[in-house]
Amino acid sequence: FAQFLAKHSGARIIRGDSMIEGGTFNELETGLWQSHDKTSFRFLTSAKTNTIVFNSETSRKSQSSVSKDVLELIENNRLNSGHLFILSPRRGLASRTICRDCGKSLSCPNCQGTLVLHGGRQNVENPPKFICHKCGTEIDSTTRCDRCKSWNLSPFGVGSEKVEKEISKNYPELKIFRLDRDTAPNDVAADKIVNKFLASAGSVLVGTEMALSRINQKMESVAVL
């Protein structure tokens, strides 16, 4: 909106953020935008960082969606009564479901967006289901492939709900909080989850990007999946 307003009113527009977006960087490279000041590509921090390669093959062999290093981080955080935030890029159980017979991804019949598998409570009234995050369409989890009508569907990817379940399986007594659109439909609910997490020593918060602006104190440990 700001871009259209500036164009029609003949005003200059300046984009600014804590980190430059990929799209903005591409427009700088192609000359569509000009640099107004020094651009930053990374946060300046004294935190010790470590990159762990944990791909689908490693996950298959270990039969886990959480690496051994993250589990060790959780254990150290519990013993030291700290706070651990785990950033998950997706919510739900699996970000994509693929037909093993024809290779097609399961897509929304309404908008063709990707269907994401979400878990349900262990009862008949609320079983697992597929949800489209673009338009909100919900599909029964017993659906077939819309191309070849096969039942042979396999979920891929990792969501916040799946991470929470795996950590609970390894540490059943641990206080785990999850913050995404499924657990917090509004700001009040989201703030309540964060406040409970910050008040619980040795706890873990698994959250999507909606948690980033709500954590107002330093974390002893952070893991980005």
Side-chain angles (χ1 to χ4, degrees):
F1 170 77
Q3 192 170 329
F4 280 112
L5 180 63
K7 180 180 179 180
H8 287 284
S9 61
R12 285 203 308 165
I13 182 170
I14 300 174
R15 289 182 180 177
D17 207 340
S18 55
M19 289 187 72
I20 191 171
E21 290 183 344
T24 304
F25 176 74
N26 181 62
E27 290 169 340
L28 280 171
E29 290 285 283
T30 55
L32 293 175
W33 289 76
Q34 300 297 321
S35 178
H36 180 266
D37 204 343
K38 183 180 178 182
T39 53
S40 176
F41 297 93
R42 66 176 67 188
F43 288 115
L44 298 177
T45 175
S46 59
K48 179 183 176 182
T49 60
N50 186 24
T51 302
I52 301 163
V53 178
F54 190 70
N55 53 29
S56 57
E57 181 65 18
T58 311
S59 176
R60 184 185 63 80
K61 288 181 178 179
S62 63
Q63 295 184 336
S64 173
S65 300
V66 182
S67 71
K68 177 172 63 70
D69 303 79
V70 173
L71 292 177
E72 291 176 356
L73 196 61
I74 293 170
E75 178 63 18
N76 291 334
N77 179 74
R78 186 184 67 82
L79 293 174
N80 295 321
S81 299
H83 294 85
L84 169 62
F85 172 52
I86 299 179
L87 175 64
S88 173
R90 298 283 188 273
R91 59 188 171 104
L93 289 172
S95 56
R96 185 178 295 271
T97 299
I98 298 176
C99 175
R100 286 194 173 275
D101 290 335
C102 72
K104 187 181 184 301
S105 295
L106 212 58
S107 57
C108 174
N110 184 43
C111 70
Q112 300 305 308
T114 301
L115 289 175
V116 179
L117 181 63
H118 285 251
R121 299 183 185 91
Q122 299 301 314
N123 56 45
V124 178
E125 289 77 18
N126 192 15
K129 57 190 173 184
F130 290 104
I131 300 177
C132 175
H133 290 178
K134 289 181 67 176
C135 69
T137 299
E138 296 186 7
I139 305 292
D140 191 280
S141 61
T142 58
T143 187
R144 299 189 187 195
C145 172
D146 54 2
R147 176 191 285 168
C148 68
K149 307 304 178 185
S150 171
W151 292 103
N152 193 12
L153 304 176
S154 293
F156 290 90
V158 179
S160 55
E161 188 178 348
K162 188 173 185 179
V163 174
E164 180 195 27
K165 288 180 181 294
E166 292 229 3
I167 296 174
S168 297
K169 183 177 66 176
N170 286 276
Y171 300 98
E173 304 300 322
L174 184 68
K175 285 188 178 180
I176 306 170
F177 302 91
R178 176 161 61 92
L179 178 55
D180 53 33
R181 288 297 175 195
D182 296 326
T183 61
N186 54 58
D187 290 341
V188 174
D191 290 337
K192 188 177 294 185
I193 292 173
V194 171
N195 290 336
K196 285 183 177 180
F197 162 65
L198 295 176
S200 303
S203 61
V204 173
L205 173 65
V206 180
T208 57
E209 69 277 0
M210 71 178 294
L212 295 177
S213 61
R214 302 180 185 279
I215 299 175
N216 56 9
Q217 70 181 53
K218 289 184 178 181
M219 296 288 100
E220 287 82 357
S221 303
V222 176
V224 181
L225 299 182

